[in-house]
Amino acid sequence: MADEDPVFETTTGPVRVITAASLFDGHDAAINVMRRLIQSSGAEVIHLGHDQSAKAVVDCAVQEDAHAVALTSYQGGHVEYFTYIRQLLDEAGCEHVRIFGGGGGTITPPEIRTLHQSGISKIYSPDDGRTMGLMGMIHHLMGLASEVNLVGDARLASIDGPVTPDDMAKVGLLMTLSESADDATFKAAVDKARSSDKEVPVIGFTGTGGAGKSSLLDELMLRIQRDNPGKKVCLLCVDPTRKRTGGALLGDRIRMNSLSNNDLFMRSLASRGSGSEISANLDRAIEVAKAVGFDMIFCETSGIGQGSDAITSVADHSLYVMTAEFGAHTQLEKIEMLDVADVVVLNKYEKRGSEDALRAIRKQVRRNRNLFDIEDEALPVVATIASQFADGGVDRLWCKLSDIVGFEASEPVDEMGARKGVIPPERIYYLSEIAATVREYHAGHEAVAQQLRLCQHLETAAKHATERGAKAIAADLQAQIDEILESLEDARKDLAEFRSLAEQYSTGEFTYHVRGKPFTVKTTTESLAHSDIPRVALPTFADDGELFSFIKKENAPGHFPFTAGVFPFKRTDELSARMFAGEGEAERTNRRFHYLSQGQDYVR
């Protein structure tokens, strides 16, 4: 960091900022740039990714006890989204959390004023970008966020009795004290908040960087919730602090899809110069989780090397997660965790070379622990594919872990390491089946169109022969026509109905029915030059084959195959209004709908 760059510190250490893109918003390029700059300014950034609901953002801010939330919104529902987050934070007792946002030109100046009046700390506009500059906006955000005092007297006074896992804001505050308070203050707070003295298993989750620890942990959480509903689980996930800037990317939450269940509590911790894969205060965070009554505690470390085993100093049991990319088999002899881990997990088993790697790991574990007289399946080695839905390997891992900690576990259904595609094998060619069906549809109707064209030409020839007095030729042609017409009854009916429809359109009015209700509409519109212009322009093909092809490929609006639309005409007697829905309970959306619909003639 350059010498002239400001340093932002708070009463509890680095600024903690939640970053995300709003619900229904897939535009994450801007928030990715901003969160990198916020991190480079010394903040601990908890990144959630894109398409995040207000509840997900607020739950994260409460559990992480953040100073600020920084969001981007380009989907048009920003006023509702930001104000709802403010409301939920206030209801959770987190009025101190600052909210920052941006959306380029999507958020207009009047809307920015409305949001500022609603308690949003700052919405950055394109004008702010021009006047303040990119780093100016980042420093402005960091300056306002650093003013928040997470351990003020009023907040500390809120811990006035036993705290349970359901008191997320208080648990979050206790976690903050575990990272920043002196021993006396921390001990006093924990003693006051203690609601449980039961023994709680602490599971250490460690492994190489990029091995899929967070994804695997997420899959385990889904199985814990399925087999042990109501059990409270605390997740403590450590990521490294960058020495150059003092900032950290705490990105494990982006993989944790199971956190929508409030039986799970997750706290992201930065190593903060501990010189290890765990935080220097991880033991105090574990003490908090035990004191408030969680039923199980998971501690996930940052990526480790061959000789690292710091997790064993704080965990009762440990899992070591690795992949097949460990190099030569002799490298396995150097990995300390193969000696001490309760379970060794070979993740990403779908990758090439994983079967050989599994055999090598099993051999090394046998040698390390002198387990030469048991079957492979009984070894504490499991192969998993965490990215695969309902993976049998993860099921077996949970069975082994549940036996260790005394939780319930369902029997695995699939085999360990069984590779399953997103599409079942019997349906793997469904797209080609759809394409083949469509091709057959068009080919069949093209053949009918050729027959119609031939029949029309024969009728013209027969008429001409009759006029010339060639009765024998005319009779032969008529016989051919009669033979062809036997297979064209439905096609001729379609042509007659279409021509009748075209004639109705030409009268200037047309009546159609929707759910039995008649709607009469004008089929023309008047131009500025007072000319009648058809609202629907139908073809005037003289060739029956061409017309039949049009009917089967496009047809008029409101008719099969509905290429031109489901309804015959666009409604002109009501105003369609695009509304932002999906945030909060249904009653909230319904109230907003009624408010926006006031005075409209038609409401659907």
Side-chain angles (χ1 to χ4, degrees), residues 504 507-514 517-523 535 568-573 602:
Q504 292 180 56
T507 62
E509 277 192 350
F510 178 73
T511 300
Y512 65 97
H513 295 77
V514 177
K517 184 178 180 180
F519 290 90
T520 300
V521 297
K522 288 187 175 182
T523 59
R535 293 176 61 190
F569 288 91
K570 181 180 178 182
R571 297 280 296 273
T572 59
D573 52 0
Y602 291 84

Side-chain angles (χ1 to χ4, degrees), residues 165-217:
D166 293 325
D167 303 321
M168 289 197 301
K170 293 181 180 180
V171 176
L173 175 56
L174 288 168
M175 290 291 180
T176 298
L177 291 174
S178 74
E179 289 191 280
S180 60
D182 59 74
D183 289 339
T185 303
F186 173 70
K187 186 177 185 305
V190 171
D191 289 342
K192 190 180 294 185
R194 187 177 301 278
S195 62
S196 173
D197 290 313
K198 64 183 178 183
E199 289 294 322
V200 181
V202 180
I203 314 299
F205 226 76
T206 191
T208 55
K213 297 186 294 296
S214 298
S215 298
L216 187 58
L217 190 58

Side-chain angles (χ1 to χ4, degrees), residues 208-227:
T208 55
K213 297 186 294 296
S214 298
S215 298
L216 187 58
L217 190 58
D218 181 50
E219 287 294 311
L220 282 177
M221 292 306 106
L222 293 174
R223 286 156 177 79
I224 291 174
Q225 294 170 57
R226 177 195 66 195
D227 298 334

Side-chain angles (χ1 to χ4, degrees), residues 32-174:
N32 280 331
V33 171
M34 302 306 283
R35 56 105 173 159
R36 291 186 183 105
L37 295 175
I38 293 171
Q39 179 190 345
S40 69
S41 296
E44 293 177 354
V45 175
I46 300 97
H47 186 55
L48 300 181
H50 64 278
D51 192 22
Q52 295 296 313
S53 69
K55 182 181 183 301
V57 173
V58 170
D59 284 349
C60 176
V62 172
Q63 294 177 9
E64 300 288 355
D65 202 20
H67 296 84
V69 173
L71 307 163
T72 57
S73 177
Y74 290 87
Q75 37 69 309
H78 34 266
V79 173
E80 181 70 17
Y81 184 71
F82 281 100
T83 55
Y84 190 40
I85 288 177
R86 180 75 276 168
Q87 176 188 331
L88 292 178
L89 283 171
D90 293 347
E91 291 174 357
C94 294
E95 299 88 349
H96 58 278
V97 177
R98 304 285 174 88
I99 301 176
F100 302 91
T106 306
I107 308 179
T108 63
E111 290 173 330
I112 291 176
R113 289 193 292 271
T114 299
L115 289 170
H116 287 167
Q117 292 166 3
S118 301
I120 308 304
S121 301
K122 178 65 176 176
I123 299 294
Y124 295 99
S125 68
D127 285 338
D128 292 322
R130 285 189 289 270
T131 57
M132 302 169 67
L134 189 55
M135 289 310 300
M137 291 190 292
I138 297 297
H139 292 161
H140 180 263
L141 180 153
M142 290 288 290
L144 291 178
S146 63
E147 295 173 358
V148 176
N149 183 8
L150 295 178
V151 291
D153 293 339
R155 291 202 75 206
L156 292 178
S158 66
I159 303 177
D160 53 1
V163 175
T164 68
D166 293 325
D167 303 321
M168 289 197 301
K170 293 181 180 180
V171 176
L173 175 56
L174 288 168

Side-chain angles (χ1 to χ4, degrees), residues 131-411:
T131 57
M132 302 169 67
L134 189 55
M135 289 310 300
M137 291 190 292
I138 297 297
H139 292 161
H140 180 263
L141 180 153
M142 290 288 290
L144 291 178
S146 63
E147 295 173 358
V148 176
N149 183 8
L150 295 178
V151 291
D153 293 339
R155 291 202 75 206
L156 292 178
S158 66
I159 303 177
D160 53 1
V163 175
T164 68
D166 293 325
D167 303 321
M168 289 197 301
K170 293 181 180 180
V171 176
L173 175 56
L174 288 168
M175 290 291 180
T176 298
L177 291 174
S178 74
E179 289 191 280
S180 60
D182 59 74
D183 289 339
T185 303
F186 173 70
K187 186 177 185 305
V190 171
D191 289 342
K192 190 180 294 185
R194 187 177 301 278
S195 62
S196 173
D197 290 313
K198 64 183 178 183
E199 289 294 322
V200 181
V202 180
I203 314 299
F205 226 76
T206 191
T208 55
K213 297 186 294 296
S214 298
S215 298
L216 187 58
L217 190 58
D218 181 50
E219 287 294 311
L220 282 177
M221 292 306 106
L222 293 174
R223 286 156 177 79
I224 291 174
Q225 294 170 57
R226 177 195 66 195
D227 298 334
N228 302 269
K231 292 289 187 181
K232 303 293 184 179
V233 181
C234 179
L235 309 175
L236 303 173
C237 300
V238 181
D239 276 311
T241 297
R242 296 182 63 183
K243 292 182 179 180
R244 185 176 67 86
T245 63
L249 173 61
L250 310 180
D252 290 325
R253 275 184 177 267
I254 203 169
R255 303 293 183 199
M256 301 296 295
N257 299 311
S258 57
L259 291 177
S260 57
N261 188 319
N262 284 339
D263 287 338
L264 303 180
F265 180 98
M266 179 173 175
R267 181 60 179 252
S268 304
L269 306 172
S271 60
R272 294 188 181 180
S274 67
S276 170
E277 66 268 21
I278 63 174
S279 167
N281 294 309
L282 180 58
D283 55 341
R284 299 214 296 185
I286 293 172
E287 185 179 349
V288 169
K290 289 182 176 180
V292 300
F294 282 101
D295 298 302
M296 186 187 295
I297 302 168
F298 281 87
C299 302
E300 181 190 345
T301 73
S302 57
I304 66 169
Q306 292 176 331
S308 304
D309 66 344
I311 191 64
T312 59
S313 64
V314 294
D316 302 321
H317 313 282
S318 59
L319 279 74
Y320 177 66
V321 185
M322 61 187 300
T323 66
E325 298 174 351
F326 50 75
H329 291 183
T330 53
Q331 297 296 324
L332 294 173
E333 301 177 29
K334 307 175 185 179
I335 299 176
E336 178 67 22
M337 287 302 297
L338 292 185
D339 279 338
V340 298
D342 291 85
V343 183
V344 177
V345 182
L346 175 62
N347 195 28
K348 303 186 179 181
Y349 191 65
E350 76 280 10
K351 301 293 186 183
R352 179 179 296 179
S354 293
E355 293 180 0
D356 292 337
L358 179 61
R359 284 191 290 270
I361 293 168
R362 282 172 169 168
K363 288 179 181 178
Q364 189 61 46
V365 170
R366 284 184 188 279
R367 288 193 290 264
N368 287 3
R369 309 186 188 193
N370 293 318
L371 300 175
F372 297 105
D373 55 350
I374 63 175
E375 297 293 329
D376 284 346
E377 288 70 21
L379 287 170
V381 180
V382 182
T384 63
I385 307 175
S387 61
Q388 181 169 269
F389 176 74
D391 177 55
V394 181
D395 289 339
R396 281 166 173 75
L397 172 60
W398 169 231
C399 285
K400 288 182 179 293
L401 185 58
S402 64
D403 289 340
I404 294 173
V405 299
F407 272 46
E408 296 294 327
S410 301
E411 285 297 319

Side-chain angles (χ1 to χ4, degrees), residues 427-444:
R427 297 291 297 151
I428 197 168
Y429 298 111
Y430 81 104
L431 288 177
S432 63
E433 292 171 5
I434 292 172
T437 301
V438 173
R439 282 194 293 268
E440 289 173 6
Y441 169 86
H442 288 306

